[in-house]
Amino acid sequence: MMQQIVLGSSSQTRAEILRAHSIPFIQRECGFDEEQLSLQNPAHFVYHATKGKMQSYLASYALDRAVLCADTVVTAHGEILRKAKDVEDARRILERQSGSRVSILTCMMYKSAKCEMMDLSATHYRFKPFDKASLEAYLQGDEWKGKAGACMVEGFCKSYIEEVVGLESTAMGLSIEKLIPFLS
Ligand SMILES: Nc1nc2c(ncn2[C@H]2C[C@H](O)[C@@H](COP(=O)(O)OP(=O)(O)OP(=O)(O)O)O2)c(=O)[nH]1
């Protein structure tokens, strides 16, 4: 029986990915504020955000269970696209991705009594232009909220994928295939 881990993240998507792989977990917030990071390089951003989340977690909790932290950003045209502040911001962020090459980077840090792991992966997409009516319908809903780049590669964006290189799980926020070998 796999040992229960702590998902040091409030992300519902990450919780769903662990659940889909039958990984027992509890969820605890880390309380790290990414707004304090002023990094333009997306890889540096997700690395330092994840490191901050792990440090914040370890300052609050003992290592009674293995802990997993992660951070995800979307980049397009050299710009880091994070979570949209409101629907206008979501429309701007999604229009930057429409008909463009987009990369989604996820950094994960896992720490147990036996081992530590850090993985930083990217999944690269080429999207067809988003249909304007479909984009507006998506924006009227709530699915874009709380998601890096306001995008859902398994949802709204899926039908626009012309090319993809990398794991879908990385694009969703947790490169699960790279984590599983470390789980006891
Ligand atoms: N369902 C879905 N979720 C996505 C996709 N891309 C990114 N996300 C989610 C995963 C994360 O919940 C969120 C990225 O934001 P963060 O890495 O800051 O994590 P979040 O603030 O959700 O939780 P945390 O900071 O870890 O407590 O976006 C996608 O294509 N599909």
Side-chain angles (χ1 to χ4, degrees), residues 3 56-57 60 69 73 79 110 115 155-156 162 173:
Q3 293 289 315
S56 175
Y57 178 86
S60 308
C69 296
V73 293
E79 182 184 352
Y110 173 80
C115 72
F156 172 74
E162 279 197 307

Side-chain angles (χ1 to χ4, degrees), residues 7-14 16-17 27-32 34 45-46 49-50 53 69-74 82-83 104-107 125 138 143 145-155 157 168 170-174:
L7 173 58
S9 169
S10 60
S11 169
Q12 283 317 303
T13 301
R14 294 189 177 114
E16 286 160 21
I17 292 172
Q27 218 162 341
R28 288 175 179 162
E29 296 237 7
C30 292
F32 178 73
E34 298 161 46
F45 187 97
V46 289
T50 307
K53 291 176 184 182
C69 296
D71 194 68
T72 302
V73 293
V74 174
R82 294 178 53 218
K83 286 178 272 189
I104 307 183
L105 286 76
T106 288
C107 182
Y125 291 95
Y138 176 59
E143 286 188 312
K145 293 177 181 170
K147 295 193 175 61
C151 89
M152 291 181 71
V153 293
E154 81 284 16
C157 299
E168 180 178 75
T170 297
M172 290 180 66
L174 202 65

Side-chain angles (χ1 to χ4, degrees), residues 34 38 41 51 56 65-66 69 71 89 93 103 105-106 114 123-124 134 142 146 156 158 167 173 177 179-180:
E34 298 161 46
S38 56
N41 176 301
K51 190 176 172 191
S56 175
R65 294 175 178 83
C69 296
D71 194 68
D89 195 28
I93 287 172
S103 293
L105 286 76
T106 288
K114 294 179 210 162
T123 298
H124 308 287
S134 305
D142 289 337
F156 172 74
K158 193 173 185 74
L167 297 170
E177 296 84 345
L179 171 69
I180 286 173

Side-chain angles (χ1 to χ4, degrees), residues 93-124:
I93 287 172
L94 286 160
E95 285 172 348
R96 294 292 281 153
Q97 298 174 69
S98 175
S100 300
R101 289 187 178 281
V102 172
S103 293
I104 307 183
L105 286 76
T106 288
C107 182
M108 294 189 302
M109 289 183 187
Y110 173 80
K111 185 176 175 65
S112 75
K114 294 179 210 162
C115 72
E116 293 188 34
M117 178 277 274
M118 190 283 283
D119 177 81
L120 204 162
S121 296
T123 298
H124 308 287

